CSV table of all heavy atoms in Angstrom, one decimal:
chain,number,residue,atom,x,y,z
A,295,CYS,N,-13.5,34.5,-14.0
A,295,CYS,CA,-13.8,35.3,-15.2
A,295,CYS,C,-13.2,36.7,-15.2
A,295,CYS,O,-13.8,37.6,-15.7
A,295,CYS,CB,-15.4,35.4,-15.3
A,295,CYS,SG,-16.2,33.9,-15.4
A,296,ASP,N,-12.0,36.7,-14.6
A,296,ASP,CA,-11.2,38.0,-14.7
A,296,ASP,C,-10.0,37.9,-15.5
A,296,ASP,O,-9.2,38.8,-15.5
A,296,ASP,CB,-10.8,38.4,-13.3
A,296,ASP,CG,-9.9,37.3,-12.6
A,296,ASP,OD1,-9.7,36.3,-13.2
A,296,ASP,OD2,-9.5,37.6,-11.4
A,297,GLU,N,-9.9,36.8,-16.3
A,297,GLU,CA,-8.8,36.6,-17.3
A,297,GLU,C,-7.5,36.5,-16.6
A,297,GLU,O,-6.4,36.6,-17.2
A,297,GLU,CB,-8.7,37.7,-18.3
A,297,GLU,CG,-10.0,37.8,-19.2
A,297,GLU,CD,-9.9,38.9,-20.3
A,297,GLU,OE1,-8.9,39.6,-20.3
A,297,GLU,OE2,-10.8,39.0,-21.1
A,298,VAL,N,-7.5,36.1,-15.3
A,298,VAL,CA,-6.2,35.8,-14.6
A,298,VAL,C,-6.4,34.5,-13.9
A,298,VAL,O,-7.4,34.2,-13.2
A,298,VAL,CB,-6.0,36.9,-13.5
A,298,VAL,CG1,-4.8,36.5,-12.6
A,298,VAL,CG2,-5.9,38.3,-14.0
A,299,ASP,N,-5.4,33.6,-14.2
A,299,ASP,CA,-5.5,32.2,-13.6
A,299,ASP,C,-5.4,32.2,-12.1
A,299,ASP,O,-4.6,33.0,-11.5
A,299,ASP,CB,-4.4,31.4,-14.1
A,299,ASP,CG,-4.6,30.9,-15.6
A,299,ASP,OD1,-5.8,31.0,-16.0
A,299,ASP,OD2,-3.7,30.4,-16.2
A,300,GLU,N,-6.3,31.4,-11.5
A,300,GLU,CA,-6.1,31.1,-10.1
A,300,GLU,C,-5.0,30.0,-10.0
A,300,GLU,O,-4.9,29.2,-10.9
A,300,GLU,CB,-7.4,30.6,-9.4
A,300,GLU,CG,-8.3,31.8,-9.0
A,300,GLU,CD,-8.7,32.7,-10.2
A,300,GLU,OE1,-9.3,32.2,-11.1
A,300,GLU,OE2,-8.5,33.9,-10.1
A,301,ILE,N,-4.4,29.9,-8.8
A,301,ILE,CA,-3.4,28.9,-8.6
A,301,ILE,C,-3.8,28.0,-7.5
A,301,ILE,O,-4.1,28.4,-6.4
A,301,ILE,CB,-2.1,29.6,-8.1
A,301,ILE,CG1,-1.6,30.7,-9.2
A,301,ILE,CG2,-0.9,28.6,-8.0
A,301,ILE,CD1,-0.6,31.7,-8.7
A,302,ILE,N,-3.8,26.7,-7.8
A,302,ILE,CA,-4.3,25.7,-6.8
A,302,ILE,C,-3.1,24.9,-6.4
A,302,ILE,O,-2.3,24.3,-7.2
A,302,ILE,CB,-5.3,24.7,-7.5
A,302,ILE,CG1,-6.5,25.6,-7.9
A,302,ILE,CG2,-5.8,23.6,-6.5
A,302,ILE,CD1,-7.4,24.8,-8.8
A,303,VAL,N,-2.8,24.8,-5.1
A,303,VAL,CA,-1.6,24.2,-4.5
A,303,VAL,C,-2.1,23.2,-3.4
A,303,VAL,O,-2.9,23.6,-2.6
A,303,VAL,CB,-0.7,25.3,-3.9
A,303,VAL,CG1,0.7,24.6,-3.5
A,303,VAL,CG2,-0.4,26.4,-4.9
A,304,GLU,N,-1.5,22.1,-3.4
A,304,GLU,CA,-1.8,21.0,-2.4
A,304,GLU,C,-0.7,21.2,-1.3
A,304,GLU,O,0.5,21.5,-1.6
A,304,GLU,CB,-1.7,19.7,-3.0
A,304,GLU,CG,-2.9,19.3,-3.9
A,304,GLU,CD,-2.9,17.9,-4.3
A,304,GLU,OE1,-2.2,17.1,-3.8
A,304,GLU,OE2,-3.7,17.6,-5.2
A,305,GLY,N,-1.1,20.8,-0.1
A,305,GLY,CA,-0.2,20.9,1.0
A,305,GLY,C,-0.6,19.8,2.0
A,305,GLY,O,-1.6,19.1,1.9
A,306,ALA,N,0.3,19.7,3.1
A,306,ALA,CA,0.0,18.7,4.1
A,306,ALA,C,0.6,19.2,5.4
A,306,ALA,O,1.6,20.0,5.4
A,306,ALA,CB,0.6,17.3,3.8
A,307,ARG,N,0.0,18.8,6.5
A,307,ARG,CA,0.6,19.1,7.8
A,307,ARG,C,0.3,17.9,8.7
A,307,ARG,O,-0.6,17.1,8.5
A,307,ARG,CB,0.1,20.4,8.5
A,307,ARG,CG,-1.3,20.3,9.0
A,307,ARG,CD,-1.7,21.6,9.6
A,307,ARG,NE,-3.1,21.6,10.2
A,307,ARG,CZ,-3.4,21.3,11.5
A,307,ARG,NH1,-2.4,21.0,12.3
A,307,ARG,NH2,-4.6,21.3,11.9
A,308,TYR,N,1.2,17.7,9.7
A,308,TYR,CA,1.1,16.6,10.6
A,308,TYR,C,0.9,17.1,12.0
A,308,TYR,O,1.5,18.2,12.4
A,308,TYR,CB,2.3,15.7,10.5
A,308,TYR,CG,2.5,15.2,9.2
A,308,TYR,CD1,3.2,15.9,8.2
A,308,TYR,CD2,2.1,13.9,8.8
A,308,TYR,CE1,3.4,15.5,6.9
A,308,TYR,CE2,2.3,13.4,7.5
A,308,TYR,CZ,3.0,14.2,6.6
A,308,TYR,OH,3.2,13.7,5.3
A,309,TYR,N,0.2,16.4,12.9
A,309,TYR,CA,0.1,16.8,14.3
A,309,TYR,C,0.1,15.6,15.2
A,309,TYR,O,-0.4,14.5,14.8
A,309,TYR,CB,-1.2,17.7,14.5
A,309,TYR,CG,-2.5,17.1,14.1
A,309,TYR,CD1,-3.3,16.4,15.0
A,309,TYR,CD2,-2.9,17.2,12.7
A,309,TYR,CE1,-4.5,15.8,14.5
A,309,TYR,CE2,-4.1,16.7,12.3
A,309,TYR,CZ,-4.9,16.0,13.3
A,309,TYR,OH,-6.1,15.4,12.8
A,310,GLU,N,0.6,15.8,16.3
A,310,GLU,CA,0.8,14.6,17.2
A,310,GLU,C,-0.5,14.3,17.9
A,310,GLU,O,-1.3,15.1,18.3
A,310,GLU,CB,1.8,15.0,18.3
A,310,GLU,CG,2.3,13.8,19.1
A,310,GLU,CD,3.5,14.1,20.0
A,310,GLU,OE1,4.1,15.1,19.8
A,310,GLU,OE2,3.7,13.3,21.0
A,311,THR,N,-0.8,13.0,18.0
A,311,THR,CA,-2.0,12.5,18.6
A,311,THR,C,-1.6,11.4,19.7
A,311,THR,O,-0.5,10.8,19.6
A,311,THR,CB,-2.9,11.9,17.6
A,311,THR,OG1,-2.3,10.7,16.9
A,311,THR,CG2,-3.4,12.9,16.6
A,312,PRO,N,-2.5,11.1,20.6
A,312,PRO,CA,-2.2,10.0,21.6
A,312,PRO,C,-2.0,8.7,20.9
A,312,PRO,O,-2.8,8.4,20.0
A,312,PRO,CB,-3.4,10.0,22.5
A,312,PRO,CG,-4.1,11.4,22.3
A,312,PRO,CD,-3.8,11.8,20.9
A,313,ASN,N,-1.1,8.0,21.3
A,313,ASN,CA,-0.8,6.6,20.8
A,313,ASN,C,-1.6,5.6,21.6
A,313,ASN,O,-1.2,5.3,22.7
A,313,ASN,CB,0.7,6.3,20.7
A,313,ASN,CG,1.0,5.1,19.9
A,313,ASN,OD1,0.2,4.1,19.8
A,313,ASN,ND2,2.1,5.0,19.2
A,314,GLU,N,-2.7,5.1,21.1
A,314,GLU,CA,-3.6,4.2,21.8
A,314,GLU,C,-3.0,2.8,22.0
A,314,GLU,O,-3.4,2.1,22.9
A,314,GLU,CB,-5.0,4.1,21.2
A,314,GLU,CG,-5.7,5.5,21.1
A,314,GLU,CD,-7.0,5.4,20.4
A,314,GLU,OE1,-7.3,4.3,19.9
A,314,GLU,OE2,-7.7,6.4,20.4
A,315,GLU,N,-2.1,2.4,21.1
A,315,GLU,CA,-1.5,1.1,21.1
A,315,GLU,C,-0.3,1.0,22.0
A,315,GLU,O,-0.1,0.0,22.7
A,315,GLU,CB,-1.2,0.6,19.7
A,315,GLU,CG,-2.4,0.5,18.8
A,315,GLU,CD,-2.0,0.1,17.4
A,315,GLU,OE1,-0.9,-0.2,17.1
A,315,GLU,OE2,-3.0,-0.1,16.6
A,316,GLU,N,0.6,2.0,21.9
A,316,GLU,CA,1.9,1.9,22.7
A,316,GLU,C,2.1,3.2,23.4
A,316,GLU,O,2.5,4.2,22.8
A,316,GLU,CB,3.0,1.6,21.7
A,316,GLU,CG,2.9,0.3,21.0
A,316,GLU,CD,4.1,0.1,20.0
A,316,GLU,OE1,5.2,0.1,20.5
A,316,GLU,OE2,3.9,-0.1,18.8
A,317,GLU,N,1.8,3.2,24.7
A,317,GLU,CA,1.9,4.4,25.5
A,317,GLU,C,3.3,4.9,25.5
A,317,GLU,O,4.2,4.1,25.7
A,317,GLU,CB,1.3,4.2,26.9
A,317,GLU,CG,1.3,5.4,27.8
A,317,GLU,CD,0.6,5.1,29.1
A,317,GLU,OE1,0.2,3.9,29.3
A,317,GLU,OE2,0.6,6.0,30.0
A,318,GLY,N,3.4,6.2,25.4
A,318,GLY,CA,4.8,6.8,25.5
A,318,GLY,C,5.4,7.0,24.1
A,318,GLY,O,6.4,7.8,24.0
């Protein structure tokens, strides 16, 4: 309600996790 538009932006990030099926 301040007569200025807010800006909504989508993003993504990835992070490494242990591979339970194939070690290494």
Side-chain angles (χ1 to χ4, degrees):
C295 301
D296 59 358
E297 299 183 355
V298 177
D299 282 346
E300 277 62 56
I301 306 164
I302 301 167
V303 187
E304 292 185 11
R307 74 179 180 95
Y308 302 82
Y309 54 95
E310 192 173 341
T311 61
N313 193 325
E314 298 178 356
E315 296 180 359
E316 300 180 54
E317 187 176 353

